[in-house]
Amino acid sequence: MFETVLSSTRKSLTLDEFVDILTKRNGDPHDLNHVFSLFDTDEKGYITVADLKQIAHNLGELMSMGELEEMVNIADSNGDGRVTKEDFNKIMRQKLWG
């Protein structure tokens, strides 16, 4: 599946490409709760830097802790280091629908 997005010279996905794949693969792009569950695999109700690190690792992405922390900080509405489902839905709606 990822191979259809990547050119023969690229071996990684951008965040935009990853989001596009998740929303297309999982049917209705409005079902952000399902996409959230792909990040929150242990169903704790939020996403942490550790969750993003695991996903990046699983996808073969080499991302620094600083990059992962920045992603969480952008989405985290209250500064607790956790991206709640509400935070996630807000950032994804901005990404998907401007």
Side-chain angles (χ1 to χ4, degrees):
M1 170 183 65
F2 294 121
E3 294 79 16
T4 61
V5 175
L6 299 176
S7 70
S8 60
T9 58
R10 288 183 43 217
K11 299 297 181 202
S12 64
L13 294 171
T14 66
L15 180 59
D16 290 343
E17 291 167 337
F18 180 66
V19 168
D20 289 343
I21 289 168
L22 287 178
T23 55
K24 287 176 186 168
R25 178 177 176 166
N26 294 297
D28 183 0
H30 300 283
D31 187 6
L32 297 178
N33 291 330
H34 179 70
V35 176
F36 180 84
S37 71
L38 298 173
F39 289 87
D40 181 24
T41 57
D42 55 358
E43 301 178 357
K44 49 190 185 306
Y46 55 87
I47 300 166
T48 64
V49 171
D51 296 320
L52 293 181
K53 182 178 179 181
Q54 183 62 48
I55 289 167
H57 173 77
N58 291 347
L59 291 172
E61 290 289 318
L62 298 175
M63 298 183 76
S64 71
M65 286 303 288
E67 290 172 313
L68 298 170
E69 289 168 355
E70 182 179 358
M71 290 172 71
V72 168
N73 290 338
I74 288 170
D76 179 13
S77 64
N78 66 3
D80 66 355
R82 298 174 176 179
V83 178
T84 64
K85 192 177 292 189
E86 292 77 22
D87 294 336
F88 182 82
N89 288 344
K90 180 180 176 184
I91 201 84
M92 290 297 286
R93 282 191 189 101
Q94 289 173 351
K95 161 67 184 107
L96 294 171
W97 300 288

